[in-house]
Amino acid sequence: MSEFQAQANLRGKVAVITGAGRGIGRAIARACADAGAAVVCSARTIAEVQEKSRMIEAAGGRSAAVAADVCDYPATEALFAAAADQFGGIDIVVANAGVSLESRKVEHSDPLLWKQTVEVNLVGVFNTARAAIPHLRRRGAGKMILIGSGSRHRPNPGMSSYASSELGTWMLTQTLAVELQSANISVNELIPGPVRTAMTGFGEKFAPEGE
């Protein structure tokens, strides 16, 4: 396969990526655009995804930025409707939005932060998948990738909310894969491993666009 073919293997596809304003989501958005896909970048903060969308377009790609909170189902539905309206449909969904808000042991944890972590990491993924499915079905096929974590099977002090939400995402992935197989929609979980991002506390560094 030539370098051009490798870079253009998503030409004609439309990808929607949540949590695309920073970290892993930002990198995935760039990779999809480099491979030829039209990319809809979404996050709660519109400025971050607008910046990424402008970078993709400046490099010759097609992109749009849509603000949406994945914990809000109507807003998530509106995200996919906007993506389909602008680019004619949706082929790829990357459910990447996630947080780690509570790092204390259970007995000292804040119940509200514990709940918010689960809402973003699990309910938010459910909302994303639920809102995307009708659009993928209209295409006759599709790819859904849920970003997970190895923490789902590793009990660590102070990580109960994050690990519990990721374990739920793991089971949701398997259930969706079985439910959508007949519709030719593949569902997979991607576990990137340790990555330097703002959420992991190591900060993040991006290579200049075009490198």
Side-chain angles (χ1 to χ4, degrees):
M1 180 182 291
S2 69
E3 181 178 355
F4 173 80
Q5 289 172 321
Q7 292 179 344
N9 61 357
L10 294 182
R11 191 171 301 281
K13 302 297 184 181
V14 180
V16 176
I17 301 164
T18 66
R22 60 179 71 180
I24 294 170
R26 181 184 173 106
I28 291 174
R30 174 176 173 174
C32 287
D34 287 347
V39 180
V40 178
C41 302
S42 182
R44 286 179 297 180
T45 304
I46 188 63
E48 291 181 342
V49 287
Q50 283 178 330
E51 177 193 12
K52 186 60 194 178
S53 184
R54 284 194 295 265
M55 289 178 175
I56 289 172
E57 292 182 334
R62 295 188 300 155
S63 184
V66 180
D69 182 350
V70 294
C71 294
D72 181 338
Y73 184 70
T76 308
E77 275 193 314
L79 159 65
F80 285 97
D85 286 346
Q86 180 153 352
F87 293 114
I90 298 166
D91 303 284
I92 302 164
V93 176
V94 182
N96 170 74
V99 297
S100 182
L101 302 176
E102 179 55 85
S103 59
R104 290 167 289 188
K105 294 180 180 179
V106 171
E107 65 177 317
H108 303 300
S109 62
D110 182 326
L112 180 59
L113 294 178
W114 205 100
K115 180 181 179 182
Q116 287 176 343
T117 299
V118 175
E119 285 180 343
V120 175
N121 296 354
L122 179 54
V123 178
V125 172
F126 164 81
N127 287 344
T128 300
R130 176 66 181 81
I133 290 170
H135 298 279
L136 297 176
R137 284 189 179 276
R138 291 189 193 105
R139 295 290 243 199
K143 307 290 184 183
M144 189 181 299
I145 301 170
L146 314 185
I147 304 301
S149 170
S151 296
R152 68 188 190 195
H153 290 315
R154 288 198 307 269
N156 291 309
M159 296 294 290
S160 64
S161 58
Y162 183 78
S164 296
S165 65
E166 296 301 333
L167 183 58
T169 298
W170 173 67
M171 181 53 69
L172 179 59
T173 302
Q174 296 182 81
T175 304
L176 284 167
V178 173
E179 291 180 348
L180 298 175
Q181 184 177 12
S182 62
N184 201 27
I185 299 171
S186 67
V187 185
N188 297 99
E189 184 182 42
L190 173 63
I191 300 178
V195 179
R196 287 182 176 273
T197 69
M199 193 176 84
T200 61
F202 292 105
E204 52 186 323
K205 180 180 179 181
F206 301 111
E209 295 297 323
E211 288 192 0

